[in-house]
Structures are given as C-alpha cells and as structure tokens.
Amino acid sequence: MALAEAGIPTSDKSLGPKQINLGDIDPLSRRFASILYQHGLRRGDYCQIVWPNTSLFQIAVLGIWLCEAIPSLCDYTFRAKGLALQMQDANPKVILATQYNLDTVEESLKIWNKSTNEVPIIVLGKNDPKLDKYPNFEGMVNDKKMRPPVPRQGPFLRDNVAALFWSSGTTGNPKGIQQTYNLFLHHMMPSKFITGIVIQSTLFFHIGGFVTPLHSVFHHTDYFFNGEDIAPDCLNILRAVDKFKPEFLVIGTHHCNQMIALRPDVIANLDLKSIKVVAPLGSTVHSEMIRDVKILFPNCVGCLNLYNMSELGPMVAFNMSPRALGGIGTGNIVKIADPDTGEALGPHQVGEIQVKPIFHMKGYLNRPKETAEFFGADGFCRTGDNGHYDEEGYLYYDNRLKDLMKPDNKHVYPMQIEDVMQRHPEVLEACAFGRPHPTAVEMVTAAVVLVSGSKLTEQDIKDMVANELESYKHLHGGVVFVKDGLPKNEQGKFLRKEMIKFVPNAKV
C-alpha cells in the first residue's frame, strides 16, 4: 500500500492505485505478461523499467518474469544520456516509462538511435494529451478481456538471469549487475527479521528496496511504501508509523539521520512505540545512530546492521550491535586478503574483504574484464572494502578501497565529476571527494586549482557540473580553491582523504 492511502502526505507525482490487494496480483500480472508477449518480449529479453516506487511496480516485474524475460531496473531520475548508455548495454525490447519522465525516455531513444516503432514504450500515467500515442499501463492491466496465456518457452533454471540492477564503475558509467533467480528464491524463505507490518522508504530499483516488497507478496504481510523519494519530509515516515503501528522499518541511513534530527516538539503527538527493529540501508550503522534511534522509538531493540553488496547473494554479515558487522551469514566463506598478494590475513590485520557465497551474480553485463576482476582466480569475490576480523570470527568494516561517494545513499564516483571540471581550460587540477554530513551521509565537494590569473568563481564550477550531471552529483558540499597544488601519492593519484583539510570547519 502507498502511504497516501492512509492520508499520509505524498508527492503530487505519485502514480498507480494507492493500494493493491494480494488477490489482484496474480490476474494483473498475467494480463500484463500477455500484453508484453504480444509486444514481442521473449525469454532472455530485457524490459527497461524507468519508474519510481508505485503499487504497480511488482505487477510489472512479475509480468516480465512470466514472459521469462528480465527486468532492467534503472534510476527514474537519470538524464537521457545515462539512460541511453544503459539501453545500449541491455538492448531492451520494451520500455516502461511514466508521464513525468517520458520526454527523457524519448530523448534517450534518440541518443541510442532507436525509434518507438523499434522499441515500444508503455506509459504509466493519465490525463495528459501527450500520452495518447502510447499504450497506457493501467488501462491495459485493468482490461479484463480474454488474452492468450504466455506459453512456456524453456525450462526454469535457478542460475538464469532474473533481474538487472545498475551500478557505476570507476568512470561513473552504468554497469549492469546480472542477478539470478537464486537470490529471489532465497528471499521467498521466511525471515526472522521481516515480520508483521513493514514500512519502507528505500527505492525499488535498488536491490535492497526491490526484495522487501516481494518478500511481503510471497508471505502475505502488510507492506507500505512511499511513492516518491520521501527524504524532503521524513516526518511522513513517522506519521505512517503512528498510524499503522509497524514493527519493522526499512529506511536509508540518510533518512534515519533526518528523522533523528527532528525537533522533539514536532513528533510529540506521534505514537512510535510499535517499532522493534530498524534496518538502515546504504552505509555502516554507528553507535550514536543506534542510541538516537532507541530514543526516537522507545521499544526498539536496535538497528539491524547489514553487510552485503548487489553482486552477492545471501547477507554476508549482520548484527544488532554497532561493535562489528557481525558474524558471517550462513553459506558464506569470508577471508581478509592482502590487497597486493591475495594471501589470507589473520585476526586484527586489515585487508580487503573477499567473499565466497553460495550463489552470486552471473556477472556484469557485457563487461568480461570487470567480471573476471570481481570473481578472482580463487573463486572469492572482491568487495573493494577494507576490513578485519577478531578471534571470535566477527567481521569489522574499516574503510573503502574504492573512491565511492554516497550522498543520500546514491552512488557517485569522483572521476565523472572531475572530467567535467577538468575540461575547462582554466582548471589546472580538480578533485571530487565526500564531505561528511550529519543527515546526507556525504556531500559531493571539490578541491580545485586554477591557472594563474583565472577569474572563475565557486558558482562557475558548480554550474559546470550542474549543467551536465544529475542533481545528486552536484557540488552541494561546495568548492574550495587551493593555490599550491593538491596532495597526491607517489604515483600521482589524489589523496582524497586529505582534501577535507581544505574545507573550513569541516568535521571528519
């Protein structure tokens, strides 16, 4: 159910019915599957979903699966160039858009040199004349006329690709993560954590946001979500807790920080005693967060600290304590490896966390080199994270090997931002880095060296980035100008952790 069903304020751009009953899911999914099959979607084909959270999202996914095809789940806020790169990789046979991003999807098709005759678009939305030339999703699935069922096209194999999630490589270009049916069959199993009523603020195109509603469908639990990114007003999450009395709350860590920061008088009249477990997704859970969460939700046992990545299968480690990431999840083998030699390290020695899970992604779509680097010759998957373990076998996280920044839990790599800045002839050096922020986790910030005599201002640099990249990649943390060059290692690479010293009054 969407939060708007309960009178919780939501965006004017929310789409689809406010509530879907479990009994409606099967017939609606089968109707949509028949429609997709008539549009030419076949076994192993990709269908690009460019939707925000909506009650119809899982209907679309199940319909695609009934065609034995693969949903390609992308960020609905992407600009046309980013969408086009994904489409060029996945070569989708059908695209699902909304009335609010239709122009962007059409532009991405032009960049891809495709027409809507070659790749049909099905639109979620209504009451807009420009939608008349496209099939309407709700009109199709609510049309009860008899359609032929989708025929079986081949045997069901657990190792077949079931969904395509998108991450970014070190260049910032999209990279398709081909997850198999193993992952979703695993999430059909009962969970000791996800019980009763669930409220979620995370987005469905992320793997963490994707599996929770499916779990609710399979286990017939009540599930509530927000139709748009709820971050501008996290009070809505607490209003939903007050009304529905859930025991389990799945939110981004940035949402958690924003709720904690609310003034006591704002939430004084809300009953928040039902929450027993909070699962902040996106970054590590620290002791101060757990302390403040327990104050906000007086009956909360604590925060579920989860460690995993989209490329892997079952949870690598989990814990209800901030002391460590926790014990190793069932079926996983973890080693701490010397990043240079690959040799296993002992207790309290810091190295790369490498995992051999019982199942994992099929590989990166059309990326054989990156796939080979991820899996490694010994079968251990490389996480890119540094960590260590203790004598009891508890896993600890130390830092990231990669340069990933996570403003509001969105993945941003510095090279993409630096390339934009470096193209200006008056920019001598430019380094993007994450500036710690109490609610957004990190804010993208830049340290810049200008050529002598340059008149460029901070706003000029910000505008360069804003004119080319998505909003979460903008320089919300500001720009600092450095005169004597930026700190680098012996190989000439930026020492990003040292950049924060150039930011006045920054707290690390």
Side-chain angles (χ1 to χ4, degrees), residues 37 49 88 104 160 207 212 333 338 360 418 462 503:
Y37 193 80
I49 304 181
Q88 287 165 0
T104 302
N160 280 356
I207 195 165
T212 308
I333 302 173
D338 184 299
H360 46 63
E418 289 162 5
K462 286 184 173 182
V503 180

Side-chain angles (χ1 to χ4, degrees), residues 357-369:
I358 53 175
F359 59 83
H360 46 63
M361 70 166 181
K362 196 94 169 181
Y364 295 116
L365 180 66
N366 303 328
R367 300 285 193 281
K369 180 181 177 183

Side-chain angles (χ1 to χ4, degrees), residues 89-193:
D89 249 5
N91 190 28
K93 296 299 186 289
V94 180
I95 300 171
L96 307 185
T98 77
Q99 67 185 90
Y100 302 113
N101 62 17
L102 180 58
D103 291 340
T104 302
V105 171
E106 289 175 328
E107 186 181 347
S108 67
L109 278 178
K110 291 178 182 177
I111 296 172
W112 185 27
N113 292 320
K114 296 285 185 179
S115 69
T116 53
N117 292 326
E118 297 172 284
V119 185
I121 299 174
I122 298 174
V123 178
L124 179 61
K126 53 190 175 182
N127 302 325
D128 191 332
K130 74 176 182 179
L131 306 182
D132 292 344
K133 66 176 182 178
Y134 293 109
N136 180 273
F137 182 90
E138 284 189 82
M140 288 173 140
V141 297
N142 289 319
D143 184 353
K144 297 183 180 179
K145 73 178 181 182
M146 292 296 294
R147 292 185 177 87
V150 176
R152 177 66 64 85
Q153 301 167 68
F156 173 79
L157 300 173
R158 297 173 64 106
D159 290 328
N160 280 356
V161 177
L164 188 67
F165 298 93
W166 292 92
S167 182
S168 294
T170 53
T171 63
N173 291 326
K175 187 166 58 175
I177 299 168
Q178 302 175 99
Q179 265 296 356
T180 70
Y181 283 104
N182 283 304
L183 177 70
F184 305 108
L185 291 172
H186 173 76
H187 281 284
M188 290 183 194
M189 302 298 290
S191 169
K192 63 181 178 181
F193 295 113

